[in-house]
Amino acid sequence: MATYKSNAGAILQPGNQINRLSSFNTEGVYGWPGVEAFELIGYAKVTNLAADKASYKSFDITIPSPDRRTDDRVRDNRTSLVVNASADRPAYVYGASIAIGQDLPAGGEPSFPTSPVTANIGGTTGEGLLLGPSNAGAPFGVPSTQANGLAAASSIISATSNLFAEGLTDTTVADLPFWTTVTTGGIVAANAANSMFYKVTADTTFKVFNVNGVTSTTVDGDGVFISQDDSDAGRAGYILCRVNYLRPATGVSWEDLNEFIDFASQVGGTDS
């Protein structure tokens, strides 16, 4: 496979037109002057059966390559979803969403030989699939008393009747981190519980965790699986993931101004 420069996406300027930002290329857009906005979308694929579910409780998130010919890809799929950040240019995560993939139309298209390709995902009633930042392979969870904005970087769906059904979806635990209420008589910490961005100052990997609840800080679920029938039919369960974040734009540079600077003509003289 040929090598290809990674994280090479442009930061789109006002007036550029595009249907969707490239998660693979970490493509951003100037949503506000001085602010870069990013959206990363990927999936975790579940193909194991119930007998092996205990080994399938934590999932890396695949970001698919734009190159669709699997036998001749210049760029292979990315095997993790990473929010890029540094101390000089932190990332501020403000959104996350998780869902179970479902073919469209529901049930697939009978005229297509391999349709449908998606399946329900088996689990344990009451347990959840949590999308959030990884803490050395474990979830941070969303603590009942928040201090750092994890609710803006996490999303969870729960199993009913031992099933994470196709089409099940949810958005960020905090919805959007905007202030909406203040305690009469003075601001208290609880007012900011769902009103903070999640700030990271180094590249941060997001994963999916099977947990007992949104506050879990260990991978304490029983595991997930697909049915024997779905496996025999070649179907798989797809856990879909989306993460949104902002970063300060790169610092001002000479290239921002050099075409406007007065200078002496190349053929002599003193331009003014």
Side-chain angles (χ1 to χ4, degrees):
M1 178 183 297
T3 59
Y4 189 88
K5 184 178 179 182
S6 61
N7 292 312
I11 306 301
L12 301 179
Q13 301 287 338
N16 292 154
Q17 294 186 3
I18 192 168
N19 291 328
R20 177 178 294 174
L21 294 175
S22 171
S23 300
F24 186 88
N25 286 329
T26 318
E27 194 170 56
V29 61
Y30 280 121
W32 303 325
V35 177
E36 298 172 2
F38 297 87
E39 179 172 82
L40 304 180
I41 300 176
Y43 67 89
K45 187 176 181 180
V46 179
T47 59
N48 62 285
L49 300 177
D52 298 319
K53 69 178 184 178
S55 299
Y56 293 88
K57 303 180 181 183
S58 177
F59 299 89
D60 291 319
I61 299 167
T62 298
I63 295 182
S65 169
D67 305 327
R68 301 316 309 141
R69 290 181 56 185
T70 58
D71 61 337
D72 188 29
R73 279 183 180 161
V74 176
R75 299 164 290 184
D76 206 353
N77 294 339
R78 293 191 183 278
T79 56
S80 59
L81 188 156
V82 178
V83 169
N84 295 138
S86 66
D88 289 336
R89 296 178 60 223
Y92 298 84
V93 183
Y94 67 88
S97 180
I98 188 169
I100 304 301
Q102 182 177 44
D103 267 340
L104 295 175
E109 180 57 56
S111 63
F112 190 63
T114 60
S115 180
V117 300
T118 60
N120 293 321
I121 297 176
T124 301
T125 296
E127 290 186 357
L129 288 171
L130 173 69
L131 167 63
S134 174
N135 181 18
F140 282 102
V142 180
S144 54
T145 301
Q146 294 183 55
N148 58 6
L150 277 164
S154 306
S155 183
I156 190 169
I157 50 177
S158 298
T160 56
S161 301
N162 295 322
L163 204 66
F164 295 97
E166 292 180 77
L168 181 63
T169 185
D170 203 1
T171 54
T172 314
V173 171
D175 294 323
L176 279 174
F178 297 151
W179 281 82
T180 58
T181 184
V182 174
T183 300
T184 302
I187 297 174
V188 298
N191 295 148
N194 291 328
S195 306
M196 295 177 286
F197 290 75
Y198 182 62
K199 178 183 178 181
V200 295
T201 55
D203 290 351
T204 300
T205 299
F206 277 65
K207 299 184 70 170
V208 173
F209 307 97
N210 179 208
V211 294
N212 283 330
V214 72
T215 61
S216 293
T217 55
T218 60
V219 187
D220 51 8
D222 295 333
V224 298
F225 58 94
I226 63 170
S227 71
Q228 185 69 62
D229 286 346
D230 283 327
S231 179
D232 292 344
R235 293 187 284 268
Y238 288 85
I239 306 169
L240 313 180
C241 306
R242 183 183 71 215
V243 176
N244 296 94
Y245 64 99
L246 306 174
R247 292 188 75 184
T250 55
V252 65
S253 69
W254 177 248
E255 285 72 20
D256 294 320
L257 282 173
N258 63 353
E259 64 182 297
F260 304 107
I261 301 299
D262 295 331
F263 65 96
S265 169
Q266 290 183 344
V267 296
T270 54
D271 291 355
S272 60

